[in-house]
């Protein structure tokens, strides 16, 4: 776990880049609280320093990561403690923690080691919203869940359940993930073959298509949310392009990943 001194150095670099909010993934380890302590110290040292946190609470199903058969219908006994720690940190640092995200890719069904049904995420989101109503959490704290675009209704109809619909209505905003590389790197439409010589124009066009693919996933979530009569902010919480992948760099690999494409994708999606 990084020290407060190390994190403060990182915070200063990020602040100089005009980044004002950070996202964490769990409160099982010291890192999240250390980040909050570091930000508080920096604020006390410099009144102009501004940084906030989207605090993640990790959610698992029963027997996740144990080697025992998992049960996706029942949640892990660890979840209650994880939510309690998130609530405690949000109340200790109310001027820094602005969002609590219940789960990270916790509903997407390819997360076979740990995914839960939307009813479990809904349970904890509703619990946090109730704490806000009872003034046990700041009314200005936003509650969401961080998940794959499909989990928010933008993919297969198997995700279109009443529990998901209720969750969409219960969160303050939607934080969706879109990773076009993982969906397209085996698709020959997107990539030149090893027998072709890549050129800058072709690579750039590939990344423009990847950006459009991500936008289509975003639009699919917007469409599903709107179909429920719901209008609320939809935020891309994760996206990006890999700089390296072993499986894509063999003799038969597509060469889909490198730092140049990673930068192109970043600039294209930021421009959008």
């Amino acid at each position: 776990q990084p020290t407060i001194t190390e994190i403060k150095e990182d915070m200063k670099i990020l602040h100089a880049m005009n980044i004002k909010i950070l996202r964490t993934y769990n409160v099982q380890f010291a890192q999240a609280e250390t980040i909050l302590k570091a930000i508080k110290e920096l604020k006390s040292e410099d009144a102009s320093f501004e940084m906030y946190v989207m605090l993640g609470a990790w959610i698992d199903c029963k027997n996740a990561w144990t080697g025992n058969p998992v049960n996706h219908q029942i949640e892990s006994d660890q979840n209650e403690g994880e939510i309690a720690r998130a609530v405690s940190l949000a109340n200790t640092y109310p001027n820094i923690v602005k969002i609590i995200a219940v789960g990270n890719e916790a509903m997407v069904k390819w997360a076979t080691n740990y995914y839960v049904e939307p009813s479990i995420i809904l349970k904890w989101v509703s619990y946090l919203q109730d704490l806000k109503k009872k003034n046990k959490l700041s009314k200005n704290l936003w509650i969401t869940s961080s998940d794959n675009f499909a989990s928010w209704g933008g993919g297969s109809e198997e995700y279109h359940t009443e529990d998901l619909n209720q969750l969409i209505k219960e969160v303050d905003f939607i934080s969706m993930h879109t990773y076009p590389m993982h969906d397209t790197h085996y698709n020959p439409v997107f990539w030149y073959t090893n027998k072709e010589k890549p050129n800058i124009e072709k690579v750039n066009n590939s990344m423009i298509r990847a950006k459009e693919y991500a936008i289509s996933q975003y639009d699919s979530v917007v469409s599903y949310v709107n179909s429920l009569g719901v209008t609320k902010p939809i935020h891309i919480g994760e996206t990006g392009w890999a700089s390296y992948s072993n499986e894509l760099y063999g003799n038969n690999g597509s060469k889909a990943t490198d730092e140049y494409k990673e930068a192109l994708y970043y600039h294209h999606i930021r421009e959008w």
Side-chain angles (χ1 to χ4, degrees):
Q1 298 289 300
T3 65
I4 288 181
T5 300
E6 290 169 334
I7 289 176
K8 285 170 74 173
E9 291 174 355
D10 291 341
M11 294 299 104
K12 290 177 181 179
I13 294 169
L14 292 168
H15 192 261
M17 296 167 64
N18 204 35
I19 291 169
K20 299 293 176 67
I21 185 163
L22 308 173
R23 178 173 165 226
T24 62
Y25 289 78
N26 67 70
V27 285
Q28 298 167 354
F29 303 103
Q31 184 202 22
E33 186 171 10
T34 306
I35 286 172
L36 295 170
K37 290 177 179 177
I39 293 172
K40 184 177 181 180
E41 287 188 15
L42 287 167
K43 283 177 174 286
S44 67
E45 295 165 8
D46 179 0
S48 68
F49 185 85
E50 187 178 12
M51 191 70 73
Y52 307 102
V53 168
M54 178 178 180
L55 190 68
W58 191 269
I59 299 295
D60 283 326
C61 69
K62 185 175 180 61
N63 292 332
W65 316 108
T66 65
N68 297 320
V70 296
N71 187 331
H72 300 294
Q73 308 295 325
I74 302 174
E75 65 175 316
S76 166
D77 294 337
Q78 305 297 318
N79 293 349
E80 184 175 3
E82 182 76 347
I83 294 293
R85 288 187 291 271
V87 168
S88 176
L89 288 175
N91 283 328
T92 303
Y93 301 93
N95 296 322
I96 301 173
V97 178
K98 295 299 182 181
I99 306 162
I100 292 179
V102 179
N104 175 71
E105 295 181 353
M107 297 183 288
V108 67
K109 296 186 186 301
W110 46 250
T112 54
N113 287 326
Y114 66 94
Y115 86 79
V116 297
E117 294 297 332
S119 59
I120 293 170
I121 301 297
L122 174 61
K123 166 191 169 180
W124 290 115
V125 167
S126 297
Y127 171 77
L128 295 174
Q129 296 289 26
D130 190 53
L131 290 183
K132 287 165 60 177
K133 293 173 185 174
K134 294 177 179 176
N135 293 316
K136 294 182 179 180
L137 273 175
S138 170
K139 292 185 182 298
N140 295 321
L141 185 71
W142 279 18
I143 309 299
T144 191
S145 181
S146 300
D147 222 305
N148 182 268
F149 82 101
S151 302
W152 286 115
S156 167
E157 289 188 1
E158 68 177 318
Y159 288 96
H160 297 175
T161 66
E162 186 55 34
D163 285 329
L164 174 64
N165 297 347
Q166 289 303 313
L167 177 63
I168 288 171
K169 295 172 183 177
E170 189 75 0
V171 294
D172 292 308
F173 74 105
I174 289 165
S175 183
M176 59 153 282
H177 301 174
T178 172
Y179 284 108
M181 188 209 82
H182 296 294
D183 288 348
T184 66
H185 65 248
Y186 291 123
N187 185 342
V189 171
F190 279 78
W191 303 106
Y192 49 83
T193 69
N194 286 339
K195 296 178 181 178
E196 295 180 83
K197 289 186 177 180
N199 60 65
I200 297 299
E201 182 180 7
K202 193 157 191 174
V203 170
N204 188 52
N205 287 340
S206 294
M207 302 320 296
I208 290 173
R209 287 196 296 273
K211 174 203 70 173
E212 291 170 347
Y213 193 92
I215 292 171
S216 74
Q217 292 188 336
Y218 178 87
D219 287 343
S220 69
V221 174
V222 171
S223 177
Y224 185 73
V225 170
N226 289 346
S227 76
L228 303 175
V230 175
T231 302
K232 59 182 55 177
I234 298 175
H235 160 233
I236 295 181
E238 286 188 21
T239 191
W241 199 266
S243 58
Y244 184 79
S245 174
N246 282 327
E247 65 181 0
L248 304 183
Y249 268 87
N251 290 332
N252 297 317
S254 64
K255 307 296 188 292
T257 60
D258 57 57
E259 291 181 353
Y260 181 68
K261 297 187 191 76
E262 182 180 48
L264 281 175
Y265 178 80
Y266 173 83
H267 290 299
H268 285 312
I269 203 75
R270 289 286 292 184
E271 182 181 13
W272 173 69

